[in-house]
mmCIF file of all heavy atoms in Angstrom:
data_model
loop_
_atom_site.group_PDB
_atom_site.id
_atom_site.type_symbol
_atom_site.label_atom_id
_atom_site.label_comp_id
_atom_site.label_asym_id
_atom_site.label_seq_id
_atom_site.Cartn_x
_atom_site.Cartn_y
_atom_site.Cartn_z
ATOM 1 N N ALA P 1319 81.494 148.391 119.316
ATOM 2 C CA ALA P 1319 81.130 148.996 118.031
ATOM 3 C C ALA P 1319 79.655 149.353 117.975
ATOM 4 O O ALA P 1319 79.272 150.443 117.519
ATOM 5 C CB ALA P 1319 81.491 148.037 116.893
ATOM 6 N N ILE P 1320 78.815 148.444 118.439
ATOM 7 C CA ILE P 1320 77.366 148.644 118.350
ATOM 8 C C ILE P 1320 76.923 149.831 119.208
ATOM 9 O O ILE P 1320 76.052 150.607 118.811
ATOM 10 C CB ILE P 1320 76.641 147.356 118.776
ATOM 11 C CG1 ILE P 1320 76.845 146.269 117.714
ATOM 12 C CG2 ILE P 1320 75.157 147.608 119.003
ATOM 13 C CD1 ILE P 1320 76.432 144.881 118.156
ATOM 14 N N ARG P 1321 77.529 150.010 120.356
ATOM 15 C CA ARG P 1321 77.113 151.076 121.283
ATOM 16 C C ARG P 1321 77.236 152.460 120.655
ATOM 17 O O ARG P 1321 76.467 153.372 120.996
ATOM 18 C CB ARG P 1321 77.946 151.005 122.562
ATOM 19 C CG ARG P 1321 77.417 151.903 123.676
ATOM 20 C CD ARG P 1321 78.194 151.707 124.973
ATOM 21 N NE ARG P 1321 78.139 150.343 125.459
ATOM 22 C CZ ARG P 1321 77.108 149.817 126.117
ATOM 23 N NH1 ARG P 1321 76.033 150.559 126.345
ATOM 24 N NH2 ARG P 1321 77.140 148.562 126.525
ATOM 25 N N VAL P 1322 78.170 152.647 119.738
ATOM 26 C CA VAL P 1322 78.429 153.989 119.202
ATOM 27 C C VAL P 1322 77.918 154.179 117.775
ATOM 28 O O VAL P 1322 78.064 155.272 117.212
ATOM 29 C CB VAL P 1322 79.937 154.304 119.250
ATOM 30 C CG1 VAL P 1322 80.459 154.166 120.673
ATOM 31 C CG2 VAL P 1322 80.746 153.422 118.301
ATOM 32 N N HIS P 1323 77.309 153.159 117.166
ATOM 33 C CA HIS P 1323 77.109 153.210 115.714
ATOM 34 C C HIS P 1323 76.131 154.290 115.264
ATOM 35 O O HIS P 1323 76.175 154.711 114.104
ATOM 36 C CB HIS P 1323 76.674 151.836 115.182
ATOM 37 C CG HIS P 1323 75.215 151.512 115.330
ATOM 38 N ND1 HIS P 1323 74.707 150.886 116.454
ATOM 39 C CD2 HIS P 1323 74.160 151.704 114.508
ATOM 40 C CE1 HIS P 1323 73.404 150.705 116.303
ATOM 41 N NE2 HIS P 1323 73.038 151.197 115.138
ATOM 42 N N MET P 1324 75.277 154.778 116.134
ATOM 43 C CA MET P 1324 74.314 155.800 115.732
ATOM 44 C C MET P 1324 74.889 157.215 115.748
ATOM 45 O O MET P 1324 74.332 158.120 115.127
ATOM 46 C CB MET P 1324 73.086 155.747 116.648
ATOM 47 C CG MET P 1324 72.221 154.532 116.449
ATOM 48 S SD MET P 1324 71.411 154.517 114.835
ATOM 49 C CE MET P 1324 70.262 155.884 115.024
ATOM 50 N N SER P 1325 75.991 157.425 116.443
ATOM 51 C CA SER P 1325 76.516 158.790 116.586
ATOM 52 C C SER P 1325 78.041 158.796 116.595
ATOM 53 O O SER P 1325 78.672 159.499 117.375
ATOM 54 C CB SER P 1325 75.985 159.425 117.875
ATOM 55 O OG SER P 1325 76.239 158.590 119.001
ATOM 56 N N TYR P 1326 78.623 158.017 115.689
ATOM 57 C CA TYR P 1326 80.072 157.869 115.637
ATOM 58 C C TYR P 1326 80.669 158.817 114.604
ATOM 59 O O TYR P 1326 80.144 158.955 113.492
ATOM 60 C CB TYR P 1326 80.421 156.431 115.282
ATOM 61 C CG TYR P 1326 81.904 156.139 115.223
ATOM 62 C CD1 TYR P 1326 82.658 156.077 116.386
ATOM 63 C CD2 TYR P 1326 82.540 155.920 114.015
ATOM 64 C CE1 TYR P 1326 84.022 155.810 116.343
ATOM 65 C CE2 TYR P 1326 83.899 155.639 113.959
ATOM 66 C CZ TYR P 1326 84.638 155.590 115.119
ATOM 67 O OH TYR P 1326 85.987 155.326 115.077
ATOM 68 N N GLU P 1327 81.751 159.464 114.960
ATOM 69 C CA GLU P 1327 82.470 160.343 114.042
ATOM 70 C C GLU P 1327 83.630 159.564 113.427
ATOM 71 O O GLU P 1327 84.533 159.125 114.129
ATOM 72 C CB GLU P 1327 82.997 161.578 114.781
ATOM 73 C CG GLU P 1327 83.605 162.623 113.880
ATOM 74 C CD GLU P 1327 83.900 163.910 114.621
ATOM 75 O OE1 GLU P 1327 82.979 164.726 114.785
ATOM 76 O OE2 GLU P 1327 85.063 164.078 115.056
ATOM 77 N N PHE P 1328 83.581 159.413 112.099
ATOM 78 C CA PHE P 1328 84.566 158.578 111.418
ATOM 79 C C PHE P 1328 85.991 159.095 111.578
ATOM 80 O O PHE P 1328 86.225 160.298 111.692
ATOM 81 C CB PHE P 1328 84.270 158.516 109.910
ATOM 82 C CG PHE P 1328 82.975 157.853 109.555
ATOM 83 C CD1 PHE P 1328 81.985 158.549 108.904
ATOM 84 C CD2 PHE P 1328 82.767 156.516 109.863
ATOM 85 C CE1 PHE P 1328 80.792 157.936 108.565
ATOM 86 C CE2 PHE P 1328 81.580 155.903 109.533
ATOM 87 C CZ PHE P 1328 80.584 156.614 108.880
ATOM 88 N N ILE P 1329 86.939 158.152 111.541
ATOM 89 C CA ILE P 1329 88.332 158.522 111.305
ATOM 90 C C ILE P 1329 88.405 159.151 109.925
ATOM 91 O O ILE P 1329 87.786 158.662 108.974
ATOM 92 C CB ILE P 1329 89.231 157.260 111.357
ATOM 93 C CG1 ILE P 1329 89.208 156.634 112.748
ATOM 94 C CG2 ILE P 1329 90.649 157.578 110.916
ATOM 95 C CD1 ILE P 1329 89.903 157.443 113.808
ATOM 96 N N SER P 1330 89.129 160.225 109.741
ATOM 97 C CA SER P 1330 89.158 160.921 108.451
ATOM 98 C C SER P 1330 90.173 160.354 107.481
ATOM 99 O O SER P 1330 90.133 160.663 106.285
ATOM 100 C CB SER P 1330 89.450 162.414 108.674
ATOM 101 O OG SER P 1330 90.703 162.586 109.326
ATOM 102 N N ASP P 1331 91.076 159.515 107.962
ATOM 103 C CA ASP P 1331 92.173 158.976 107.152
ATOM 104 C C ASP P 1331 91.823 157.562 106.703
ATOM 105 O O ASP P 1331 91.651 156.662 107.531
ATOM 106 C CB ASP P 1331 93.460 158.989 107.985
ATOM 107 C CG ASP P 1331 94.659 158.438 107.250
ATOM 108 O OD1 ASP P 1331 94.521 158.012 106.086
ATOM 109 O OD2 ASP P 1331 95.754 158.419 107.841
ATOM 110 N N ALA P 1332 91.724 157.332 105.400
ATOM 111 C CA ALA P 1332 91.337 156.027 104.867
ATOM 112 C C ALA P 1332 92.377 154.947 105.144
ATOM 113 O O ALA P 1332 92.090 153.758 104.976
ATOM 114 C CB ALA P 1332 91.097 156.122 103.360
ATOM 115 N N ASP P 1333 93.562 155.322 105.582
ATOM 116 C CA ASP P 1333 94.599 154.342 105.915
ATOM 117 C C ASP P 1333 94.545 153.914 107.375
ATOM 118 O O ASP P 1333 95.271 153.012 107.782
ATOM 119 C CB ASP P 1333 95.996 154.905 105.621
ATOM 120 C CG ASP P 1333 96.224 155.128 104.136
ATOM 121 O OD1 ASP P 1333 95.730 154.313 103.335
ATOM 122 O OD2 ASP P 1333 96.877 156.130 103.780
ATOM 123 N N HIS P 1334 93.719 154.563 108.179
ATOM 124 C CA HIS P 1334 93.665 154.274 109.618
ATOM 125 C C HIS P 1334 92.246 153.949 110.092
ATOM 126 O O HIS P 1334 91.897 154.197 111.247
ATOM 127 C CB HIS P 1334 94.203 155.461 110.418
ATOM 128 C CG HIS P 1334 95.680 155.619 110.319
ATOM 129 N ND1 HIS P 1334 96.287 156.234 109.257
ATOM 130 C CD2 HIS P 1334 96.678 155.214 111.138
ATOM 131 C CE1 HIS P 1334 97.604 156.225 109.434
ATOM 132 N NE2 HIS P 1334 97.861 155.610 110.567
#
Side-chain angles (χ1 to χ4, degrees):
I1320 290 168
R1321 191 175 301 281
V1322 303
H1323 82 270
M1324 290 293 291
S1325 53
Y1326 181 72
E1327 187 171 277
F1328 295 118
I1329 296 290
S1330 60
D1331 179 359
D1333 294 324
H1334 288 81

